[in-house]
Amino acid sequence: GDIAVKNQYRQIELYVYSNLATLYDISGMAEKTYTYALKAIPLGRQVGDLGITAANLAKAANAQAFLGHYEMAESLSKQAIALVDSVGHPNNVAEVYCGAGIVRFLQNKFSEAIPFFEKGLHAIGGELVYDRAFGDSYKRLSIAYEKTGNYLLALKNFKSGAEISDSMTRSQNVRKATELSMNYDFQKRQEIQAAEKAKSEQLARTKQVALIIGLLLVLILAIVLFNGYRNKHKANQLLENAMTDLQSAQAQLVQNEKMASLGELTAGIAHEIQNPLNFVNNFSELNREMISDLNNALQKGDIEEARQITSDLEGNEEKVMHHGKRADAIVKNMLQHSRGAAGQREPINVNSLADEYIKLALNGQRSKDKGFNATVETNFDNSIGTVLIIPSEIGRVLLNLLNNAFYAVSAKNFETAPEGFEPRILVSTKLARYAAGKTGIEIKVKDNGPGIPATNLNKIFQPFFTTKPTGQGTGLGLSLSYDIVKAHGGELVAESREGQGSEFTIRLPKK
């Protein structure tokens, strides 16, 4: 009996200290919060309430963080997490993990804070709980995403925090109006009781005062509601402006990615065009020497030698013309690729297009990395004929997939490759049958790089998702490629085995 009574007193004492810690936390009094949270922690352990114990550990951690004692704050936060993970009560989990996010947030460790906030807010079931603490957590999570460059999630969480804040403000206004009404009712009853003992003139004055108070209450309530509406309108305007700025930034990033693709293509073209130009220069120089020999033969009257030289000159001129046309075709491809507007669909031999962009991608890669060395194999199905496509757009997709393959085998070659590793890329084409019985083609780009982790495979076509180091990729290449293939009525899919390589397949309808 005595033990039960003691436990009951401990529980009462626990809730008193815990509530005091919460009130001081809300009031921003970190030292008081820490003092009462420390008193509540051992009591929670004694009565066996591990959830409230973990919550008070989190409050103590937050208080230490606000006081600038970050090492102590992280230690208390880790204890709270270890304890709440063994309890699992959603409200305690939410409070502890959001508290852990605050500890990291106050240290400007935004990327570390994000998963704690996400887990804490997820623990309450993904529903908006109209509580000030959770509203603050959404706002801090929004700031953390903004600091790490994820503006879409920053905007989403800012909206959630703003909705909770608006709701809390409305609730406070309603409570205040109710409180004023209740105070008024209480005052009115007193006045009525006094009026029963007073003269009729006093009763008239009391009614007049009551009317004035009622009008004031209505006026106050109208002002509160108007201010709430005006603040909400301003918040919505700010959100609309932020969305406009975000869309503008996204459009600029997409344009930058296209220009980067053009830069890759230009680097490849610069190397590719050098070969035919060298041939043209060499044969032109040779023809000058042969013309001199021809003049000498004519002066000597050696007609046979003159005919032989003339025949050789004719052959050389054919080669000059051939390589000149080759250079002209390369330049036309570059101009077509660089067009801002959408091109026209043309019947294109996909095998030739793929072969062309393999050369351009290889030359572009070697211009950036002099030590790059990889074997590029092809397996083209010569029976596929032509396909109606925009060659510059599909060329851009091929260029992106090839550059990604080169990056993958280079990363494995220099970082994680086993001994004797030989980087290889296979580009293949073939006819394919679709589910609806239609005929199409498949273009595959396969590499033996490190592969894509399973957790990332379903994200690679999302805009701005990239696993490359900062400054080496925007995360838009595969997203734009996916949209281009989809606009052609096809699909772009990826398969990968971690440690063995990746395979990207372009499927296009054959019209």
Side-chain angles (χ1 to χ4, degrees):
D2 290 341
I3 295 174
V5 171
K6 286 181 180 179
N7 278 337
Q8 187 175 7
Y9 279 119
R10 287 194 188 105
Q11 284 182 337
I12 294 171
E13 194 175 8
L14 166 64
Y15 294 135
V16 169
Y17 287 145
S18 181
N19 289 336
L20 283 171
T22 300
L23 290 172
Y24 282 123
D25 183 32
I26 293 171
S27 302
M29 301 172 70
E31 292 181 351
K32 290 283 189 180
T33 302
Y34 183 69
T35 298
Y36 285 102
L38 281 187
K39 290 183 178 182
I41 290 167
L43 289 170
R45 295 186 187 276
Q46 289 175 18
V47 302
D49 193 338
L50 300 183
I52 200 169
T53 303
N56 279 285
L57 279 166
K59 291 171 191 170
N62 289 356
Q64 288 296 303
F66 279 109
L67 292 171
H69 305 151
Y70 300 125
E71 186 174 351
M72 174 64 76
E74 291 202 10
S75 174
L76 290 167
S77 177
K78 289 176 182 177
Q79 294 178 46
I81 289 173
L83 195 60
V84 82
D85 282 345
S86 66
V87 177
H89 191 280
N91 288 339
N92 297 139
V93 171
E95 186 173 358
V96 168
Y97 275 90
C98 285
I102 292 171
V103 169
R104 276 72 182 178
F105 181 92
L106 292 175
Q107 301 178 63
N108 294 330
K109 297 179 179 179
F110 300 112
S111 59
E112 293 181 21
I114 288 172
F116 288 108
F117 280 127
E118 288 285 7
K119 185 166 183 178
L121 295 171
H122 181 72
I124 55 178
E127 298 289 335
L128 290 182
V129 177
Y130 295 101
D131 180 90
R132 186 189 66 83
F134 291 125
D136 289 344
S137 293
Y138 274 113
K139 290 179 181 178
R140 288 190 173 103
L141 179 57
S142 171
I143 294 171
Y145 272 124
E146 182 183 8
K147 294 292 185 182
T148 54
N150 196 329
Y151 298 105
L152 286 176
L153 288 178
L155 182 60
K156 174 186 174 184
N157 285 283
F158 179 80
K159 285 183 176 179
S160 298
E163 183 175 344
I164 292 175
S165 179
D166 287 348
S167 176
M168 293 297 296
T169 302
R170 288 196 298 272
S171 299
Q172 290 169 2
N173 290 340
V174 171
R175 283 200 299 271
K176 184 63 179 177
T178 303
E179 180 182 352
L180 289 172
S181 297
M182 290 176 65
N183 290 338
Y184 163 69
D185 289 339
F186 179 73
Q187 182 182 14
K188 186 177 178 181
R189 283 197 298 271
Q190 287 183 324
E191 290 172 352
I192 290 173
Q193 289 173 358
E196 290 175 352
K197 298 178 182 179
K199 295 179 181 181
S200 60
E201 297 172 356
Q202 184 65 32
L203 178 60
R205 286 195 296 271
T206 301
K207 289 181 179 180
Q208 186 177 12
V209 169
L211 178 60
I212 292 172
I213 293 173
L215 290 173
L216 286 174
L217 284 173
V218 171
L219 180 61
I220 290 170
L221 185 59
I223 291 172
V224 168
L225 292 175
F226 175 75
N227 286 335
Y229 168 78
R230 185 172 60 183
N231 291 335
K232 187 173 182 180
H233 179 73
K234 287 181 179 178
N236 288 337
Q237 187 63 46
L238 288 173
L239 289 175
E240 288 177 5
N241 292 341
M243 180 62 76
T244 300
D245 293 342
L246 181 60
Q247 289 172 345
S248 177
Q250 287 176 342
Q252 184 62 44
L253 285 171
V254 169
Q255 183 61 28
N256 290 345
E257 178 67 21
K258 289 182 178 179
M259 293 305 296
S261 172
L262 179 58
E264 296 279 356
L265 181 66
T266 303
I269 286 170
H271 282 71
E272 181 72 4
I273 204 172
Q274 193 63 47
N275 289 330
L277 288 179
N278 286 339
F279 276 110
V280 170
N281 291 334
N282 291 339
F283 281 116
S284 296
E285 185 66 28
L286 182 60
N287 284 353
R288 287 182 60 190
E289 295 176 3
M290 293 177 70
I291 289 171
S292 177
D293 293 341
L294 176 61
N295 289 332
N296 291 335
L298 290 174
Q299 287 176 3
K300 290 187 292 184
D302 191 342
I303 302 301
E304 187 61 34
E305 183 179 358
R307 287 178 179 172
Q308 182 62 44
I309 293 172
T310 303
S311 176
D312 292 341
L313 279 171
E314 185 178 2
N316 288 348
E317 284 301 314
E318 288 179 358
K319 292 176 181 177
V320 168
M321 184 176 293
H322 169 76
H323 291 289
K325 288 181 178 179
R326 168 71 179 148
D328 180 63
I330 293 170
V331 172
K332 285 181 178 178
N333 284 340
M334 180 185 71
L335 293 175
Q336 190 177 41
H337 184 90
S338 63
R339 288 175 187 159
Q344 298 295 323
R345 296 200 182 197
E346 305 172 29
I348 297 296
N349 186 312
V350 173
N351 293 340
S352 300
L353 184 72
D355 188 60
E356 182 78 21
Y357 275 88
I358 289 171
K359 293 176 183 176
L360 295 176
L362 264 174
N363 286 324
Q365 181 69 19
R366 286 169 179 159
S367 70
K368 295 186 298 183
D369 181 4
K370 302 298 182 184
F372 177 77
N373 185 29
T375 301
V376 181
E377 301 174 351
T378 58
N379 183 13
F380 294 154
D381 182 354
N382 293 322
S383 67
I384 61 177
T386 60
V387 181
L388 198 63
I389 58 173
I390 303 173
S392 62
E393 294 293 313
I394 298 302
R396 181 179 285 125
V397 175
L398 285 168
L399 187 65
N400 180 262
L401 297 183
L402 288 164
N403 285 337
N404 286 347
F406 294 157
Y407 178 85
V409 297
S410 294
K412 185 172 181 179
N413 194 12
F414 293 113
E415 295 176 10
T416 60
E419 187 176 352
F421 169 72
E422 295 183 5
R424 290 181 178 275
I425 292 98
L426 173 63
V427 183
S428 62
T429 61
K430 70 172 185 178
L431 284 172
R433 293 285 181 181
Y434 286 87
K438 295 181 180 179
T439 302
I441 65 156
E442 288 186 350
I443 310 170
K444 293 180 180 287
V445 178
K446 183 178 182 181
D447 66 73
N448 63 343
I452 304 169
T455 54
N456 292 338
L457 194 58
N458 61 343
K459 304 176 186 177
I460 59 175
F461 295 120
Q462 295 177 6
F464 308 109
F465 177 82
T466 181
T467 58
K468 294 180 180 178
T470 303
Q472 294 191 26
T474 63
L476 285 171
L478 285 175
S479 173
L480 291 174
S481 297
Y482 183 88
D483 291 341
I484 289 170
V485 176
K486 188 176 180 181
H488 278 74
E491 59 181 355
L492 177 60
V493 297
E495 297 178 12
S496 183
R497 302 183 94 183
E498 198 165 356
Q500 298 184 27
S502 305
E503 181 179 79
F504 285 83
T505 303
I506 305 169
R507 295 193 179 104
L508 297 170
K510 187 172 172 61
K511 297 180 181 179

